[in-house]
């Protein structure tokens, strides 16, 4: 149950950040809709987001946390990582600013020429954020190693606040959120920079090779996984025939898909990494608990978004430039995405558990399988059905990757009877919520419907999982 408690602390902080992220997206949808300007902005921030996934949610933390936890010379180890990677990232930032076409043709080769030109301008603004994202990820990992999850997970609130403020500045259009993105990432790093003051830092390369041995397999795995993003955005850019909108549909839908994934899937995986790194002897026990925790959160989220997806999108997005047609298409994309939500959550949990055991090869193979599956599915259904096909391809690829990782676990008893109760509770919640939402056509009715669904699920869980509830209460006394 300690995994659930730590995950909840992480999830609460992430939820607060995601609420502001939702406000940011509402303002973005109202001001720019699914226009070509919105497409250009989303492409311009894709590269920094790629680095965030690698450093904040992937290779950097997976390699850094177990090595930093056991390092005797922590100052020297930290200095080595900071020195070597800062130099590399300075070169990358310089190249992207000088040759922004790298981003244009990597992520949106099928876009219209006016969109490509705007991407070039916006990319030069967002590129320096890469450095600050890396430094933030290091301090974030240090705090996770110390068992601190709440405040580090809260700091992404800062970029959201800054982006919102910059979008409210009149007369600067799409450059508002772009400058807000850069300045927000700078501010987020300085808000979490305090762990560095506990260390005596210097220029050093002493432990660079030690770190790279663990980092490279995980980095390669994350890089391969990002092939999905590259193929996805290129496929929809060609599907849209240069008119724009395809990338925006993916981004707006993925915000709601990533909300429960970031709140719960990443939360549990982050806690599992630190938990197993400090207690490898009880690997199976912690992994079993992590998988149940992942299902407890992601299964009801999946059912809830399928039932309430379109009303939720209408409530939050359908204003100004965002039309009813945009809501309908985005809801279809969201439904295709959430099919894979529980599987991606469990995939992340098993992968992080493997990282904690310093096994980087198995997650790398799984990521390669996911990437290949995604590319094949994109070509089969993405080019034909556009954003909906791309989202469905993502889900199918995640299911395949999870099944591969599961097949590699020696202990096959990773699922419990409680997992079936979780599924049953979620299905019953979905049926009751479906009838509840149809009581009214008012836009605001989705809020009480969401609350109703959550209460039904919690009540059913308390009945079906009463053994775990009793155990939890005993441990909190």
């Amino acid at each position: 149950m300690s995994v659930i408690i730590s995950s909840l602390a992480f999830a609460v902080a992430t939820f607060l950040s995601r609420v502001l992220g939702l406000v940011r997206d509402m303002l973005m949808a109202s001001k720019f809709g699914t226009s070509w300007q919105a497409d250009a902005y989303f492409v311009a921030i894709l590269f920094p987001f790629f680095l965030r996934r690698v450093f904040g949610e992937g290779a950097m933390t997976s390699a850094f946390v177990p090595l930093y936890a056991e390092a005797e010379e922590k100052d020297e180890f930290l200095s080595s990582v900071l020195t070597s990677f800062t130099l590399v990232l300075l070169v990358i930032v310089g190249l992207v600013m000088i040759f922004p076409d790298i981003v244009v043709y990597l992520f949106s080769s099928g876009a219209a020429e006016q969109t490509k030109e705007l991407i070039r301008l916006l990319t030069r603004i967002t590129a320096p954020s890469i450095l600050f994202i890396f430094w933030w990820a290091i301090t974030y990992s240090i705090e996770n190693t110390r068992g601190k999850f709440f405040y580090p997970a809260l700091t992404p609130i800062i970029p959201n606040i800054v982006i919102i403020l910059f979008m409210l500045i009149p007369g600067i259009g799409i450059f508002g959120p772009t400058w807000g993105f850069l300045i927000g990432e700078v501010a987020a790093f300085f808000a979490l920079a305090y762990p560095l003051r506990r260390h005596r830092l210097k220029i050093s390369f002493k432990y660079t090779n030690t770190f790279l041995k663990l980092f490279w397999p995980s980095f390669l795995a994350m890089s391969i996984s990002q092939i999905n993003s590259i193929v996805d955005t290129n496929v929809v850019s060609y599907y849209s025939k240069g008119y724009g909108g395809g990338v925006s549909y993916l981004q707006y839908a993925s915000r709601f898909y990533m909300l429960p994934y970031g709140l719960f899937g990443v939360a549990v995986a982050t806690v599992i990494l630190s938990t197993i790194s400090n207690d490898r002897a009880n690997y199976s026990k912690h992994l079993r608990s992590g998988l149940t925790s992942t299902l407890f959160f992601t299964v009801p989220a999946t059912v809830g978004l399928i039932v309430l997806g379109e009303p939720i999108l209408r409530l939050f997005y359908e204003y100004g430039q965002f039309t009813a047609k945009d809501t309908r298409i985005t809801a279809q994309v969201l439904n295709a995405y959430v099919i894979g939500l529980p599987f991606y959550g469990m995939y992340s949990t098993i992968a992080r558990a493997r990282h904690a055991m310093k096994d980087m090869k198995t997650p790398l193979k799984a990521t390669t399988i996911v990437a290949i599956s995604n590319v094949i599915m994109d070509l089969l259904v993405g080019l034909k059905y556009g954003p909906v096909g791309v989202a469905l391809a993502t889900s199918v690829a995640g299911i395949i990757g999870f099944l591969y990782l599961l097949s590699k676990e020696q202990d096959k008893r990773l699922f419990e009877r409680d997992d079936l109760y979780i599924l049953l509770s979620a299905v019953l919640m979905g049926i009751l919520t479906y009838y509840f939402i149809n009581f009214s056509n008012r836009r605001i009715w989705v809020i009480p419907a969401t609350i109703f669904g959550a209460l039904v699920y919690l009540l059913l869980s308390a009945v079906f999982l009463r053994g775990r509830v009793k155990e939890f209460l005993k441990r909190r006394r």
Side-chain angles (χ1 to χ4, degrees):
M1 296 303 293
S2 60
V3 172
I4 290 183
I5 297 303
S6 298
S7 300
L8 279 173
F10 184 100
V12 168
T14 304
F15 175 74
L16 295 174
S17 175
R18 295 301 170 102
V19 167
L20 271 178
L22 188 57
V23 174
R24 174 203 64 203
D25 291 343
M26 289 173 63
L27 191 57
M28 185 80 189
S30 176
K31 291 175 71 69
F32 304 105
T34 57
S35 63
W36 63 273
Q37 293 96 333
D39 275 10
Y41 168 77
F42 287 130
V43 171
I45 65 174
L46 273 178
F47 193 61
F49 266 125
F50 162 67
L51 271 298
R52 177 188 288 278
R53 291 189 185 103
V54 170
F55 293 134
E57 300 171 7
M60 180 58 64
T61 51
S62 293
F64 185 90
V65 169
L67 288 175
Y68 179 82
E70 66 185 26
E72 294 182 2
E73 296 180 300
K74 284 183 167 52
D75 291 352
E76 193 78 34
F77 174 75
L78 178 58
S79 295
S80 299
V81 175
L82 284 172
T83 301
S84 53
F85 277 82
T86 297
L87 290 174
V88 171
L89 289 176
L90 281 171
V91 173
I92 292 175
V93 170
L95 286 173
V96 171
M97 294 189 72
I98 297 170
F99 305 108
D101 278 355
I102 294 172
V103 173
V104 173
Y105 290 103
L106 192 63
F107 292 104
S108 195
S109 55
E113 188 54 43
Q114 64 176 354
T115 306
K116 290 179 179 177
E117 186 57 38
L118 183 56
I119 292 171
R120 294 183 186 102
L121 292 174
L122 301 184
T123 296
R124 287 192 169 103
I125 297 172
T126 60
S129 65
I130 294 169
L131 274 170
F132 295 94
I133 289 171
F134 163 66
W135 293 332
W136 168 85
I138 289 294
T139 57
Y140 178 95
S141 299
I142 292 172
E143 289 299 273
N144 280 182
T145 306
R146 299 178 61 242
K148 307 295 183 181
F149 297 99
F150 181 77
Y151 179 72
L154 198 63
T155 52
I157 248 178
I158 298 170
N160 290 331
I161 293 174
V162 177
I163 290 172
I164 290 169
L165 292 175
F166 271 71
M167 271 198 284
L168 295 175
I169 298 176
I172 60 176
I174 200 67
F175 289 94
T178 308
W179 278 108
F181 181 86
L182 171 62
I183 296 171
E185 295 297 345
V186 174
F189 161 66
F190 282 108
L192 195 57
Y194 62 87
L196 298 179
R197 292 197 294 267
R198 295 195 293 264
H199 296 271
R200 294 181 179 180
L201 300 176
K202 61 182 179 180
I203 296 176
S204 174
F205 298 95
K206 181 176 179 180
Y207 289 101
T208 298
N209 288 335
T210 302
F211 179 75
L212 288 177
K213 288 178 182 178
L214 208 58
F215 172 81
W216 277 122
S218 187
F219 173 77
L220 185 58
M222 284 299 299
S223 298
I224 292 172
S225 72
Q226 293 312 302
I227 291 174
N228 296 348
S229 297
I230 295 172
V231 176
D232 289 353
T233 52
N234 274 288
V235 165
V236 295
S237 71
Y238 281 105
Y239 176 83
S240 302
K241 296 181 175 60
Y243 292 106
V247 176
S248 296
Y249 289 132
L250 285 181
Q251 292 299 315
Y252 287 128
S254 68
R255 300 304 192 202
F256 278 94
Y257 160 70
M258 292 301 295
L259 179 63
Y261 177 73
L263 281 175
F264 306 123
V266 174
V268 175
T270 300
V271 173
I272 281 293
L273 176 64
S274 297
T275 302
I276 295 180
S277 293
N278 291 301
D279 185 21
R280 294 189 176 102
N282 290 304
Y283 172 85
S284 294
K285 174 187 173 183
H286 293 311
L287 179 56
R288 190 178 298 113
S289 175
L291 289 173
T292 298
S293 299
T294 301
L295 289 172
F296 180 81
F297 295 123
T298 58
V299 171
T302 298
V303 174
L305 284 173
I306 290 173
V307 174
L308 299 175
E310 188 166 347
I312 289 173
L313 292 170
R314 184 178 299 112
L315 174 66
F316 288 104
Y317 285 161
E318 199 175 300
Y319 305 96
Q321 299 299 311
F322 202 92
T323 66
K325 176 187 174 184
D326 293 330
T327 299
R328 186 175 66 255
I329 296 174
T330 305
Q332 294 169 357
V333 177
L334 178 60
N335 285 340
Y337 265 136
V338 298
I339 292 171
L341 176 58
F343 299 96
Y344 270 108
M346 292 186 290
Y347 175 96
S348 297
T349 299
I350 298 176
R352 285 303 186 93
R354 288 282 188 167
H355 291 158
M357 299 297 288
K358 299 184 181 180
D359 173 14
M360 301 297 180
K361 292 183 179 179
T362 302
L364 173 58
K365 291 177 182 177
T367 304
T368 304
I369 291 171
V370 169
I372 293 173
S373 302
N374 189 79
V375 170
I376 293 173
M377 290 295 297
D378 267 347
L379 296 176
L380 289 175
V381 298
L383 287 173
K384 184 175 182 180
Y385 299 106
V388 177
V390 166
L392 184 60
T394 300
S395 291
V396 173
I399 294 171
I400 293 171
F402 160 71
L403 292 175
Y404 172 79
L405 281 179
L406 186 63
S407 71
K408 294 299 179 181
E409 288 297 322
Q410 293 182 352
D411 187 351
K412 303 300 181 182
R413 298 171 299 172
L414 292 176
F415 294 98
E416 306 170 301
R417 185 175 59 181
D418 286 350
D419 299 331
L420 291 175
Y421 290 142
I422 289 170
L423 179 61
L424 177 60
S425 299
V427 170
L428 291 174
M429 173 208 73
I431 294 171
L432 294 173
T433 304
Y434 172 79
Y435 286 107
F436 188 89
I437 189 65
N438 286 307
F439 285 162
S440 173
N441 291 323
R442 296 183 64 184
R443 184 182 299 207
I444 199 70
W445 185 247
V446 71
I447 294 179
T450 302
I451 296 172
F452 171 80
L455 291 175
V456 167
Y457 177 71
L458 291 175
L459 178 62
L460 291 172
S461 297
V463 173
F464 290 132
L465 306 176
R466 55 185 177 274
R468 284 183 175 266
V469 173
K470 289 178 181 178
E471 179 187 353
F472 170 74
L473 294 174
K474 286 180 180 178
R475 292 190 178 187
R476 304 311 295 173
R477 288 175 182 172

